[in-house]
Amino acid sequence: LGLFTVVPAGCMAVSDPDQAGASVINCPDDGPNGGGGGGTGDGGQPCITREIGPGQHVFVGNCGQSPTDGGGGALDISKTWSATFPCSQSATQLMSAFQSNMDQFAGNSGAPFASQFPGAINQGDTLTINTGLQLLPGNFVPQQGLEVTVLSVTPNSFMFLTNPQEHFFDGTIAFMDSDAGNGNVNFSITANANFSSQLTEYTIGPLIESQENSTWNNLLKNLQGHCAGRSQ
């Protein structure tokens, strides 16, 4: 079931006070690999999840020491890109600007690994991210349209849930910022996912990971430029 799970017998899903719209699945101590807890793989540690249907949850945080695929195994992709930088706006104001026009900040059409994002981000929307290769300036060669659903939106965050039938990944991508003090903001992008197929992983997997690095590092650079008053 990939990142999805049902609440195992003997466990309880309760609201997580630190993550809006999320839950924590608490289970009795079931050993280091979760063998007796229905496959949570948490060793008695809570798993941060988000409910997407009756009794069905998607993992958005750690199960024990590292994110898992719902069966105790490590995810193919579990990585965070982050930066702390001076900003003329608060974290909430910066996230509001980002959510109103994602492509303005995350669009990466000038790089070899190009990407074009939708504009406004609204909870529940299904969006397409266009990716491709920039062989020459202005010559964008489409690679694939990647479909995501906006799983949640808060004043300081939002999360994409990928469609593994229309995406390289099966998992979540979370965007979050916070005030870091002294006029600084911390912004992070966290991907927790498996490749949608082994064929993808073992053929173009390294290319996709390079594209992810290029896209999210470019986003952080553009956010810093916005905070410094440079137009995007």
Side-chain angles (χ1 to χ4, degrees), residues 1-7 13 19 21-25 47-63 67-70 75 149-152 159-164 170-173 192-194:
L1 293 179
L3 295 177
F4 298 95
T5 186
V6 296
V7 179
Q19 298 193 49
S23 301
V24 177
I25 297 180
C47 300
I48 311 300
T49 72
R50 194 174 306 281
E51 186 170 13
I52 59 170
Q56 190 180 47
H57 294 247
V58 58
F59 286 106
V60 299
N62 287 0
C63 296
T68 74
D69 60 8
L75 296 174
T149 298
V150 184
L151 193 62
S152 65
M159 178 179 288
F160 288 158
L161 175 66
T162 68
N163 175 358
D170 176 8
T172 60
I173 306 171
N192 284 319
N194 287 315

Side-chain angles (χ1 to χ4, degrees), residues 9-48:
C11 304
M12 179 179 295
V14 297
S15 296
D16 175 24
D18 298 320
Q19 298 193 49
S23 301
V24 177
I25 297 180
N26 287 317
C27 301
D29 193 351
D30 53 10
N33 294 314
T40 60
D42 63 2
Q45 300 299 311
C47 300
I48 311 300

Side-chain angles (χ1 to χ4, degrees), residues 211-223:
Q211 189 169 35
E212 288 283 298
N213 286 328
S214 173
T215 297
W216 304 135
N217 286 327
N218 178 69
L219 168 60
L220 292 172
K221 180 188 74 173
N222 287 339
L223 289 167

Side-chain angles (χ1 to χ4, degrees), residues 85-218:
F85 44 87
C87 194
S88 58
Q89 297 180 318
S90 69
T92 300
Q93 290 171 324
L94 179 61
M95 182 59 72
S96 177
F98 183 41
Q99 290 175 352
S100 67
N101 190 349
M102 184 175 185
D103 190 61
Q104 177 183 351
F105 297 92
N108 201 20
S109 58
F113 298 111
S115 54
Q116 297 172 342
F117 287 82
I121 302 299
N122 298 295
Q123 186 165 332
D125 284 356
T126 296
L127 308 173
T128 298
I129 302 166
N130 294 311
T131 63
L133 298 176
Q134 186 87 356
L135 301 181
L136 296 170
N139 183 12
F140 180 83
V141 179
Q143 183 178 352
Q144 182 171 337
L146 308 179
E147 185 175 293
V148 299
T149 298
V150 184
L151 193 62
S152 65
V153 177
T154 77
N156 289 95
S157 70
F158 64 94
M159 178 179 288
F160 288 158
L161 175 66
T162 68
N163 175 358
Q165 304 302 317
E166 300 291 340
H167 202 290
F168 298 128
F169 296 136
D170 176 8
T172 60
I173 306 171
F175 305 84
M176 183 177 298
D177 71 357
S178 61
D179 292 307
N182 297 317
N184 293 307
V185 166
N186 177 265
F187 196 101
S188 65
I189 308 103
T190 299
N192 284 319
N194 287 315
F195 282 102
S196 55
S197 72
Q198 287 189 333
L199 178 63
T200 297
E201 179 180 5
Y202 294 120
T203 53
I204 60 173
L207 179 65
I208 294 169
E209 292 189 56
S210 294
Q211 189 169 35
E212 288 283 298
N213 286 328
S214 173
T215 297
W216 304 135
N217 286 327
N218 178 69

